[in-house]
Amino acid sequence: MSRRNTGHIGMTELRRRAEQRLDGTASHTPPAIDVDALRQLHELQVHQIELEMQNQELQRIREEVEDGLARYTTLYDFAPVGYFTLDRNGTITHLNLTGAKLLEQPRSTLMGRRMANFIPADSLSLFAKFLQQVFTSSTADILELKFVVPGRQPLFAHVEAVADGSGATCRVVVVDITARRQAEQRADELLRQNRSLTRRMFSVQETERRELARELHDELGQWLTAIQAEAEAIRSSSGVDRDPRLSISAHAISNSAGEMHRLIRQMLRRLRPSLLDSLGLSESLQELVAQWREHHPQIVCDLQLSGELQGLPESLGITAYRIVQEALTNVAKHSQATRVAVRLRRDNRNCLRLSIEDDGRGLDTERLSSGLGLMGMRERVIAADGEFNLHSQPQQGVQIAVRLPLTAPLVIESQP
């Protein structure tokens, strides 16, 4: 018979019946067994066992939850990034221990403070827009910020945020990039030093070229002029009539001296173009191209100059001249081109734009060797804080594009 048919029998009723059975043991008639009461007692015992098992399961689950919560708290607090919860005013409502360590203050001190208190004044508007974007679109792009704590080193960080489901708060992730920023600043400083040394190197190089050109012109030129004068004197002397060989030798000496004069003039133009000092970049380039055409008549060379090119800084004029000079040398030696175009202009952004293009065999930029010509051009442009771009493919010529800012650091020539 089930509990539903017999009704519920309490523990008190069961005890009473048991006492009655004990009282009846003195008689010779054995008491009747109450089967329903025994069944009810069994069901209660089973139910009690089930409750104990459920309690044990609940205790196990509770311990697992507490253990998982402890692990999550440890992971949250000691994560390698700072976690912050901010309300719409940017007030810190919660943060992990890493976040407190990043701001170098106790967590309890930071609770309730505004994150804007740790951001420089010049970045407050940027941070305000960042928060507004978070609460408007639920997410925001990564922002790079500098955090400042009085008496401590600045903290550079990447900041990313996402709004929670209620829209009342947002979760902010702060990643410390101070070490990387310091490394970048150090690399920038080394780059500036390298460019300064490169500018100084080119300055010394140009000074040495100018001094060498002066010595060749003043010293060697005078001696060659004297040799020619002596040769002419020999040819005009009375002794030539007695020995015609003297006239032939004097004529040969005079021709050799004249040829040396011609070679020296070419060397002087390569060492230091005289027009660059006297008339400027435009005339120097025109003379350079004219002489190049004489030596390479099989290649058509087109020179186009535009914009105001007068009054340029000397170092900038030298840089542009040397790039064109080296580029034309490469065309003559390696390109097998039939045409080359040189274009120089000063744009409305106060920059020089230089391009050299040829229709030669080109080169494979993926397998480009470290030729001194291209390397030298690139180094000159970088030293002037400019941009150097080279584009080429086999059998499609070479295109060089250079941008030189007029505001670039000037090269100070060494004084002789």
Side-chain angles (χ1 to χ4, degrees):
M1 182 180 296
S2 66
R3 183 187 307 173
R4 184 168 50 249
N5 296 330
T6 61
H8 178 68
I9 300 176
M11 291 297 296
T12 304
E13 178 64 19
L14 290 174
R15 291 192 188 98
R16 187 183 64 81
R17 293 184 181 182
E19 291 173 354
Q20 289 176 353
R21 296 190 191 96
L22 291 173
D23 292 341
T25 55
S27 63
H28 298 286
T29 305
I33 298 176
D34 192 339
V35 178
D36 293 337
L38 291 175
R39 184 181 291 113
Q40 291 291 332
L41 182 59
H42 175 71
E43 290 179 356
L44 286 174
Q45 291 174 342
V46 172
H47 184 63
Q48 184 178 8
I49 294 173
E50 291 177 348
L51 288 176
E52 291 177 355
M53 293 177 63
Q54 291 176 1
N55 288 334
Q56 293 175 359
E57 180 66 16
L58 289 175
Q59 182 65 24
R60 185 186 63 80
I61 294 174
R62 180 181 178 181
E63 291 174 354
E64 290 181 354
V65 170
E66 291 177 350
D67 183 61
L69 182 60
R71 289 198 302 268
Y72 170 77
T73 302
T74 302
L75 179 63
Y76 173 76
D77 274 337
F78 297 98
V81 298
Y83 291 112
F84 295 81
T85 301
L86 306 181
D87 62 13
R88 286 182 171 269
N89 295 322
T91 302
I92 301 173
T93 62
H94 202 276
L95 73 160
N96 65 348
L97 289 179
T98 303
K101 184 178 180 181
L102 291 177
L103 297 181
E104 301 188 35
Q105 293 192 20
R107 178 157 53 181
S108 58
T109 304
L110 294 171
M111 296 286 290
R113 297 190 63 182
R114 298 186 63 186
M115 184 170 280
N117 294 337
F118 304 96
I119 298 175
D122 56 356
S123 300
L124 285 177
S125 60
L126 184 64
F127 179 67
K129 292 179 181 178
F130 177 79
L131 276 185
Q132 183 180 6
Q133 181 183 355
V134 172
F135 287 107
T136 301
S137 60
S138 299
T139 60
D141 295 333
I142 294 178
L143 175 68
E144 185 170 320
L145 279 179
K146 180 173 73 172
F147 294 88
V148 177
V149 179
R152 309 293 176 87
Q153 292 292 328
L155 166 72
F156 295 93
H158 277 161
V159 180
E160 188 173 6
V162 58
D164 61 13
S166 65
T169 60
C170 68
R171 294 182 294 275
V172 180
V173 179
V174 179
V175 182
D176 185 4
I177 60 169
T178 304
R180 193 184 76 183
R181 172 57 72 89
Q182 291 174 346
E184 291 175 350
Q185 292 175 347
R186 178 60 179 163
D188 291 340
E189 178 62 25
L190 291 175
L191 179 60
R192 285 192 294 269
Q193 293 178 6
N194 182 67
R195 289 182 176 180
S196 177
L197 290 174
T198 303
R199 285 192 291 268
R200 179 63 179 169
M201 180 192 69
F202 286 130
S203 172
V204 172
Q205 185 183 73
E206 291 297 331
T207 300
E208 291 178 348
R209 286 180 172 182
R210 180 169 55 193
E211 290 303 307
L212 180 58
R214 182 183 302 170
E215 292 180 6
L216 285 174
H217 179 271
D218 295 343
E219 301 295 333
L220 190 57
Q222 291 180 3
W223 283 106
L224 289 175
T225 301
I227 291 174
Q228 283 184 312
E230 291 294 335
E232 290 299 323
I234 294 174
R235 291 178 61 187
S236 302
S237 65
S238 58
V240 173
D241 295 335
R242 294 190 300 271
D243 190 351
R245 291 177 299 178
L246 291 175
S247 178
I248 297 174
S249 297
H251 182 71
I253 292 173
S254 179
N255 289 340
S256 297
E259 184 64 19
M260 292 180 67
H261 259 301
R262 185 184 67 81
L263 292 175
I264 288 176
R265 283 194 297 270
Q266 291 182 0
M267 293 173 61
L268 292 177
R269 282 192 292 266
R270 290 191 61 83
L271 285 172
R272 183 75 178 187
S274 58
L275 292 181
L276 191 60
D277 294 322
S278 58
L279 298 179
L281 180 60
S282 297
E283 288 75 8
S284 298
L285 289 178
Q286 291 172 359
E287 181 190 38
L288 173 65
V289 171
Q291 294 170 1
W292 191 85
R293 288 168 178 161
E294 291 179 3
H295 290 87
H296 309 284
Q298 75 281 7
I299 305 176
V300 177
C301 183
D302 178 34
L303 174 65
Q304 296 183 14
L305 306 173
S306 59
E308 181 55 51
L309 299 178
Q310 298 297 326
L312 297 176
E314 181 182 6
S315 60
L316 195 65
I318 292 174
T319 298
Y321 181 91
R322 295 300 185 195
I323 292 172
V324 174
Q325 186 181 48
E326 186 61 44
L328 290 179
T329 300
N330 287 344
V331 169
K333 288 183 177 180
H334 309 295
S335 71
Q336 300 180 2
T338 60
R339 301 185 65 88
V340 59
V342 179
R343 297 180 178 86
L344 177 66
R345 64 184 177 89
R346 180 173 179 174
D347 62 16
N348 54 8
R349 296 183 179 180
N350 218 24
C351 291
L352 283 184
R353 302 279 182 171
L354 173 64
S355 67
I356 303 103
E357 301 181 8
D358 67 66
D359 63 351
R361 62 180 182 177
L363 47 86
D364 186 356
T365 56
E366 298 296 330
R367 303 173 62 182
L368 184 62
S369 61
S370 56
L372 295 178
L374 289 174
M375 185 185 300
M377 286 188 281
R378 183 179 287 106
E379 288 298 323
R380 284 185 178 275
V381 173
I382 293 176
D385 286 348
E387 296 178 3
F388 180 91
N389 293 291
L390 182 145
H391 177 74
S392 178
Q393 292 183 4
Q395 308 306 321
Q396 295 188 21
V398 175
Q399 298 85 43
I400 295 175
V402 174
R403 183 187 68 86
L404 296 172
L406 270 66
T407 56
L410 302 180
V411 176
I412 301 176
E413 295 286 352
S414 300
Q415 295 300 321

